[in-house]
Each structure stands twice: as structure tokens, then as C-alpha cells.
Amino acid sequence: MKWYRLFGSEEGLKTALGNAGRKMVRIGEKRVCLFFHEGTYHAFDNLCPHNMHSLFGGNINFLKEIVCPLHGYRYSLKDGRECEGKSGDLTIHSLEIRADGVFLGLRN
Ligand code: FES
């Protein structure tokens, strides 16, 4: 896993997320969705493993799954597992709030 410092503080993260509670960041060629939902921050790949649609416009359901806005496939925000076994799994990244900033840990 490779770590990137995204913001200088949690306040900076909150400001970037705004009222919508979501922000897309770009690290090289990769786009990562940052979401704030019910007191928890989440970071995951923007592209849906099913057909590469953006998940940024998706919503998080009561089971803490991100629901793709195109065909409705659901991915666990805990481990990225696609909930009905119909496609590959989503890559979930780590987001850590440390004394010296907010860091994104990119997987793969
Ligand atoms: S592109 Fe996401 S469910 Fe089909």
C-alpha cells in the first residue's frame, strides 16, 4: 500500500467533502471517491468493477454498501465484495486521520 497526504487536517477533509459528504480525488491515473456517511469516512475506487461506470453518483444504503447508479450492483464498503456475486469486487482504500494530516492508503 502506498500512502498519500491529501489534506493538512480533518478540517480540510471536511471542507473538501462539503455538504454532500463526497469528493473525488485523483492520484496519478486513478480516481478515488471519498465519502462521509453516518460518522465514517470511506475511500474506494471510482470505477464500478461491473462496467466501469463512475460510483461517485452512487449512494450508500443502510447495509453500508455503495450502490452503482448505472445497474444497481452493490459493493460492501468494508471489504469491497460485490454483494450478489455478479461481478468482481471493488477496491477499498484506507483513509487515516493522523496528527500531521489526512492520508490515503492506495491498494494496488
Ligand atoms: S456499471 Fe456499475 S453496476 Fe453496471
Side-chain angles (χ1 to χ4, degrees):
M1 183 181 308
K2 190 165 182 184
W3 290 93
Y4 298 86
R5 185 175 185 262
L6 296 181
F7 304 99
S9 66
E10 186 175 5
E11 268 316 300
L13 171 61
K14 284 181 180 171
T15 300
L17 290 169
N19 290 336
R22 57 183 70 187
K23 166 108 183 134
M24 178 120 54
V25 296
R26 187 174 176 165
I27 308 287
E29 296 298 310
K30 185 179 281 286
R31 290 170 196 255
V32 175
C33 295
L34 308 179
F35 276 44
F36 183 75
H37 179 75
E38 295 181 354
T40 305
Y41 297 107
H42 302 280
F44 51 88
D45 270 2
N46 174 48
L47 295 179
C48 176
H50 174 234
N51 209 14
M52 308 306 263
H53 190 75
S54 173
L55 291 171
F56 188 71
N59 289 311
I60 296 174
N61 67 15
F62 69 101
L63 295 171
K64 295 200 182 333
E65 301 162 339
I66 180 71
V67 182
C68 179
L70 191 56
H71 303 114
Y73 284 27
R74 298 174 290 118
Y75 301 91
S76 165
L77 289 174
K78 195 169 118 191
D79 57 13
R81 195 171 57 80
E82 194 276 307
C83 297
E84 295 180 26
K86 298 192 288 190
S87 82
D89 295 337
L90 178 67
T91 300
I92 305 294
H93 303 289
S94 296
L95 200 60
E96 285 189 7
I97 298 164
R98 304 177 188 168
D100 58 342
V102 177
F103 290 79
L104 174 68
L106 273 191
R107 291 193 166 79
N108 72 16

